[in-house]
Amino acid sequence: MVALLIIIFSKITPKVIGAAFPKKIAANVGWLILPRIFVLKPLLWFIKSFFSGLMRVLGLQSSSDSRAMSKEKLRSLSNRFASNHHRNILLNLFNLESITVNDVMTHRSKIEALDLSRPIDEVVQQLETCYHNKLPVCDGDSERIVRILSVKKTLSLLGDADLKHQDFRSLLNEPYFIPSGTPVLPQMQFFQDNQQRLRLVVNEYGEALGLVTFEDIVKERIDEYTTSFSNLSTDPRWLADAMYLPSGGESLRDLHRLLTLNLPCNGPRTLNGLILEKLEAIPAHDVSIRIAGIVMEIVQFDEHGVKTVKLYRPIIVQAQD
């Protein structure tokens, strides 16, 4: 009985009160605790050193700092005390360890590239209407990116009536390549250390698979601040008839972020790839399938794959008491 009272009033109750009113309690008792910390600091150091030495003698010394908080504890604390907005940001940071540049890159089919083999007036028109800071440059072969052009550097040239292709070639920079499958965290550190914002992702044969920018990684970390970077509609609401019409090339991660779906992201990275993996063939007619509890109706397709899909919002069934 005495042990139960000690646990309740000496351990549980103070923790609950301290967690509920941390600032108020700290302001009232801080002046009393601080002098005792300085007075008892030598004793605390002696006790800590004694038990640390005893643990080493017994072979029980932990290889990691016992004071370090594990990811599981941080996740639990964020679920309990953080708001939904800040909790999502924190959980995104934890998930970055398992994400590679392939998950966040822009696929080469969606890359806007500048072809310097085209007539000079078409090149100038593309630069005048371009909304990117940097453009990958090819020279006749759209599958082979040879240089990177900073659009800002071309602004002073666009008013010249005697522009030639060589004027733009003199502004080109060497592209930076990154192997496919590179983790996102070290790549973000590279961007910060070298003041770079764009790298090309290549496979083992040196073929460009896509490009990744600093903004792509930031979007993955704090997606609510960067909805303008997404190719999807910025309106996350389903249509009135509980449907949504994405293209087959949309990223599964973007669909999950936009519509809060639980689509598998450990295989194909696009909706088209997920459907083809499920069907094991390119559809020859309109079909409907269910993946991860979501009904998908193929609306448009061709010999290369699925073009447009109709997603039906899953019905959440709540348990009755």
Side-chain angles (χ1 to χ4, degrees), residues 2-72:
V2 175
L4 179 62
L5 294 176
I6 292 176
I7 292 174
I8 294 176
F9 293 102
S10 299
K11 185 176 179 63
I12 299 177
T13 303
K15 284 187 176 181
V16 172
I17 297 176
F21 309 100
K23 294 183 179 179
K24 184 177 181 180
I25 295 177
N28 292 330
V29 304
W31 63 272
L32 182 63
I33 295 177
L34 188 60
R36 298 186 180 185
I37 292 178
F38 286 105
V39 173
L40 299 176
K41 191 172 183 179
L43 178 60
L44 294 175
W45 174 85
F46 173 77
I47 295 175
K48 181 180 178 181
S49 301
F50 174 78
F51 281 103
S52 296
L54 181 61
M55 295 287 283
R56 283 194 295 268
V57 171
L58 297 177
L60 301 177
Q61 184 68 17
S62 175
S63 59
S64 60
D65 189 354
S66 60
R67 294 174 299 176
M69 187 173 293
S70 65
K71 294 180 183 178
E72 289 71 20

Side-chain angles (χ1 to χ4, degrees), residues 87-96 220-223:
R87 180 170 62 249
N88 291 336
I89 296 176
L90 184 60
L91 294 179
N92 283 343
L93 293 178
F94 290 144
N95 295 333
L96 280 183
E220 192 65 31
R221 290 178 61 187
I222 314 175
D223 58 331

